[in-house]
Amino acid sequence: NVDKRVQYMIEVMFAVRKDDFKEHPAIQTGLDLVDEDDQITHLISVEDELDGEDSLHVFKPDPEFLENEERYKAIREEILGEGSSDDESGEEGEVSDED
């Protein structure tokens, strides 16, 4: 036997499915940032041969880490604007509040 509460929840789930999840969109409207024409989807089949790229599962230290970090910071500032780094400004704000 199924508990009344469980039975009710199952009925609610079937009702939501019957309505094609209209009240539960897959992507919320505020988060739909990419136009459908610009989206790239990957369709695969169970029978398809896949290249797992196992080399990506292994950590490899970057010998030029510091130089790459500086390049990343420059690109980030170019995209986001000067001085708009969230983590640095948040830390500075916390320190100034304590003073």
Side-chain angles (χ1 to χ4, degrees):
N1 290 337
V2 178
D3 187 50
K4 295 270 185 195
R5 181 174 174 227
V6 174
Q7 182 180 354
Y8 175 73
M9 292 302 296
I10 292 171
E11 290 174 4
V12 169
M13 288 175 30
F14 276 110
V16 168
R17 183 181 179 277
K18 186 177 180 181
D19 291 337
D20 293 326
F21 301 96
K22 290 179 183 167
E23 295 180 17
H24 306 281
I27 299 175
Q28 296 178 358
T29 54
L31 299 177
D32 191 12
L33 303 176
V34 180
D35 293 333
E36 279 192 43
D37 297 336
D38 295 335
Q39 293 178 4
I40 299 172
T41 56
H42 304 279
L43 301 176
I44 59 171
S45 170
V46 176
E47 299 170 354
D48 290 345
E49 281 283 327
L50 298 178
D51 178 18
E53 297 186 45
D54 290 330
S55 64
L56 297 177
H57 299 299
V58 179
F59 175 76
K60 298 175 188 169
D62 185 4
E64 300 171 354
F65 174 76
L66 295 176
E67 293 84 13
N68 290 335
E69 279 295 303
E70 291 301 319
R71 288 180 27 215
Y72 168 74
K73 286 179 184 178
I75 293 170
R76 183 179 66 187
E77 288 177 3
E78 179 182 323
I79 293 172
L80 299 176
E82 293 294 324
S84 65
S85 62
D86 295 334
D87 51 351
E88 292 176 8
S89 63
E91 291 173 3
E92 290 172 3
E94 291 173 8
V95 172
S96 63
D97 290 341
E98 293 173 2
D99 289 341

